[in-house]
């Protein structure tokens, strides 16, 4: 068990948390939620001991081991992947290294023999002989190919490093597991594996995530941070949302009844306070009035943007035809003879583990890359708006937010432009901020403003939920569902894919595709997943032969 006892944490004069008391017990998974800036990551750092409290303390059951998902992706570049994962159990890794050092000695003494014997006993007790196989299981589950298990961390790309650090946090069955955004940069298959791992994990988990589907799958409890307090709910994210809304509704209704009662008492007192025969009743009602207290209902610190994509022109029957597109990057074929036709009602989710293949296809369709082979053709009634995964070039300039969006607006009017920025929570002086100093989430909201103001009837999104908070993801999800046009998108948020897509195109590792008119959940439950893996296995075997 881990608990916070009267914890206060101040940044300058501002209290981020004040007198927080909460216990996290064994066998439960707690989703830590709250608006951006509420202090979710800070609270995890306080629990882990990385930050000291201003007042109060953190207590952990003696003898329990705490494990944290680290965020520094370059910290272990000097180590092999396998060593990095096993470092998740620091004591076990120390034993392994000390044993190796003793056995490497040329002048092996009796003392060395005694020490080695002690280490071997502790090593066996900690299941050390299975350490590498256990680490390999975690790496494989998260999609790290076996051939990379003994590579140096510096040889891995960013997404692979994220997966290794997650495997490190999960390694060795920790008693308390702290995970800050564990689904970031994971593909949908890796997220599904992590969900099953945490569902079956028997110890304490505290997780911060913007993925609503993930929180609903794994969490037994929800800890909501709002206005420096943490309120604990038994249940997952959806249960928290329904419960919190019900509590607010009940308080508002109770206040309404009290206000009506106050009005009646005040009217009686006003009418009869000067009436001798009614003076006692008026005095009695004054006492009753003094006892009535309205509940203090603070508005939530959460803010929801308003996302509404409205096409200026109705789309025709001919939308997009893709014929035989192939593309190689650095000598590797990532798209192989890809063909499909897009209909005017299609909302297509592109899935699969190869992120580069999806991004490359979108860039080809937007004219930013040329295919090696094949063609594509947009219908004459279509207009496109594109959300790129890498938006660095878009904001590498000295424009203010207002001027930047004005450049894309069909109406050159500052009031019109600021209306779109206001929907995305850029208010007042925000409009004069330089775009190059914006945070990741602010840049995403700018790009969504640009897509809304375009009036396009075909939208292409490449991982639009990256850097967004829960409220913005919810708003984007609703905007994508309501859109009366065509959408082609890739997204790691399961709920966005499930609720938006009516067609799934999976880009396979060999660059070909599976194309199905279905929802995402139905696709995952279909035989396609099993069949495709069988095809890969047999193909790999033939190549080896």
């Amino acid at each position: 068990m881990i608990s916070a006892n009267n914890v206060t944490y101040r940044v300058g004069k501002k209290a981020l948390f004040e007198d927080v008391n909460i216990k996290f017990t064994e066998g439960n998974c707690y989703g830590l939620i709250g608006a951006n800036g509420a202090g979710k990551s800070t609270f995890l750092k306080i629990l882990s001991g990385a930050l000291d409290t201003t007042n109060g303390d953190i207590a952990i059951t003696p003898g329990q081991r705490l494990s944290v998902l680290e965020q520094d992706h370059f910290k272990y570049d000097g180590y092999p992947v396998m060593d990095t994962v096993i470092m998740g159990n620091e004591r076990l890794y120390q034993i392994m290294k000390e044993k190796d050092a003793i056995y490497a000695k040329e002048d092996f003494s009796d003392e060395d023999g005694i020490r080695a014997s002690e280490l071997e006993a502790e090593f066996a007790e900690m299941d050390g002989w299975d350490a590498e196989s256990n680490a390999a299981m975690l790496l494989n589950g998260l999609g790290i190919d076996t051939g990379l298990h003994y590579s140096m961390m510096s040889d891995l790309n960013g997404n692979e490093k994220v997966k290794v650090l997650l495997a490190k946090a999960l390694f060795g069955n920790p008693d308390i597991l702290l995970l800050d955004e564990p689904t970031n940069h994971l593909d949908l298959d890796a997220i599904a594996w992590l969900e099953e791992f945490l569902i079956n994990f028997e110890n304490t988990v505290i997780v911060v995530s913007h993925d609503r589907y993930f929180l609903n799958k794994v969490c037994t409890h929800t800890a909501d941070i709002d206005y420096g307090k943490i309120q604990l709910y038994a249940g997952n994210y959806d249960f928290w949302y329904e419960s919190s809304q019900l509590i607010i509704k009940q308080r508002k209704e109770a206040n309404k009844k009290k206000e009506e009662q106050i009005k009646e008492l005040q009217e009686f007192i006003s009418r009869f306070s000067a009436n001798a025969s009614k003076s006692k009743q008026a005095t009695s009602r004054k006492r009753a009035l003094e006892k009535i207290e309205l509940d203090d209902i603070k508005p939530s610190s959460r803010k929801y943007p308003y996302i509404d994509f409205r096409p200026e022109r109705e789309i025709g029957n001919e939308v997009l035809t893709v014929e035989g597109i192939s593309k190689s990057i650095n000598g590797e074929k990532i798209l192989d003879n890809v063909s499909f036709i897009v209909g005017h009602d299609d909302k297509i989710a592109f899935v699969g583990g190869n992120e580069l293949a999806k991004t490359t296809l979108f860039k080809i369709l937007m004219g930013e890359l040329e295919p090696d082979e094949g063609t594509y053709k947009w219908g004459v009634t279509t207009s496109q708006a594109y959300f790129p995964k890498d938006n660095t070039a878009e904001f590498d300039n000295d424009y203010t937010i207002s001027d930047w969006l004005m450049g894309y607006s069909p109406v050159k009017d500052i009031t019109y432009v600021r209306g779109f920025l206001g929907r995305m929570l850029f208010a007042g002086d925000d409009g004069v901020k330089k775009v190059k100093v914006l945070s990741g989430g602010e840049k995403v909201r700018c790009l969504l403003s640009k897509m809304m103001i375009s009036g396009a009837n075909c939208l292409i999104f490449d991982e639009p939920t990256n850097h967004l908070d829960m409220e913005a993801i919810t708003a984007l999800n609703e905007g994508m569902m309501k859109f009366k046009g065509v959408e082609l998108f890739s997204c790691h948020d399961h709920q966005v894919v499930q609720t938006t897509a009516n067609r799934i195109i999976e880009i396979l590792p060999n660059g070909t595709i599976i194309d199905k008119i279905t929802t995402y959940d139905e696709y995952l439950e279909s035989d396609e997943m099993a069949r495709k893996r069988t095809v890969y296995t047999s193909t790999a075997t033939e190549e080896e032969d």
Side-chain angles (χ1 to χ4, degrees), residues 8-18 52-55:
T8 295
Y9 181 77
R10 295 183 183 278
V11 180
K13 294 182 179 180
K14 180 184 176 183
L16 195 57
F17 304 107
E18 196 151 24
D52 293 327
T53 63
T54 306
N55 291 304

Side-chain angles (χ1 to χ4, degrees), residues 276-304:
S277 64
K278 298 275 190 177
S279 62
K280 287 186 177 181
Q281 294 179 41
T283 301
S284 175
R285 280 166 171 74
K286 283 182 181 178
R287 294 195 191 101
L289 182 61
E290 291 169 357
K291 292 179 181 179
I292 298 175
E293 292 184 6
L294 295 176
D295 290 334
D296 182 19
I297 305 174
K298 287 185 177 180
S300 173
S301 58
R302 292 176 170 84
K303 294 182 180 180
Y304 290 83

Side-chain angles (χ1 to χ4, degrees), residues 320-326 336-342 361 364-365 371-378 513:
L320 173 65
T321 301
V322 175
E323 292 185 354
I325 282 183
S326 295
D336 186 7
N337 195 30
V338 171
S339 299
F340 57 89
I341 297 174
V342 178
L361 177 61
I364 289 172
L365 298 181
D372 297 336
E373 299 174 10
T375 62
Y376 67 93
K377 182 181 180 182
W378 288 99
I513 64 171

Side-chain angles (χ1 to χ4, degrees), residues 122-173:
E122 191 175 355
F123 183 73
E125 188 177 333
M126 298 181 72
D127 199 23
W129 295 110
D130 293 325
E132 291 195 8
S133 61
N134 290 337
M137 180 195 71
L138 295 172
L139 291 167
N140 289 332
L142 289 167
I144 298 296
D145 188 77
T146 303
L148 296 175
H149 290 189
Y150 292 91
S151 300
M152 297 299 292
M153 285 288 287
S154 56
D155 295 332
L156 272 55
N157 64 38
N159 288 354
E160 289 167 341
K161 288 180 180 180
V162 168
K163 292 180 177 182
V164 174
L165 291 179
L166 180 54
K168 175 181 179 292
L170 303 178
F171 178 76
N173 195 36

Side-chain angles (χ1 to χ4, degrees), residues 25 44 73 113 132-133 142 153 190 205 228 236 242 267 280 286 299 301 308 406 416 441 455 484:
T25 56
L44 283 190
H73 301 166
E132 291 195 8
S133 61
L142 289 167
M153 285 288 287
V205 182
N236 61 15
E242 293 169 6
E267 287 177 353
K280 287 186 177 181
K286 283 182 181 178
S301 58
D308 186 20
M406 181 75 81
Y416 179 78
K484 304 295 185 183

Side-chain angles (χ1 to χ4, degrees), residues 3-8 19-23 53 55-59:
S3 62
N5 307 308
N6 298 313
V7 165
T8 295
D19 297 328
V20 169
N21 289 281
I22 189 169
K23 291 181 180 179
T53 63
N55 291 304
D57 63 84
I58 302 299

Side-chain angles (χ1 to χ4, degrees), residues 69 142 159 162-163 166 179-188 190-192 194-195 198 207-215 218 463 465-466 473 492-494:
L69 173 58
L142 289 167
N159 288 354
V162 168
K163 292 180 177 182
L166 180 54
L179 302 175
D180 192 356
E181 297 293 354
T183 62
N184 277 3
H185 307 291
L186 295 188
D187 55 72
L188 289 165
I191 292 173
L194 179 61
E195 288 168 356
L198 294 179
V207 58
V208 171
S209 177
H210 290 147
D211 189 326
R212 298 158 296 165
Y213 182 89
F214 176 77
L215 291 176
V218 306
E463 302 298 343
T465 61
N466 289 353
I473 291 173
H492 289 159
D493 189 296
H494 186 118

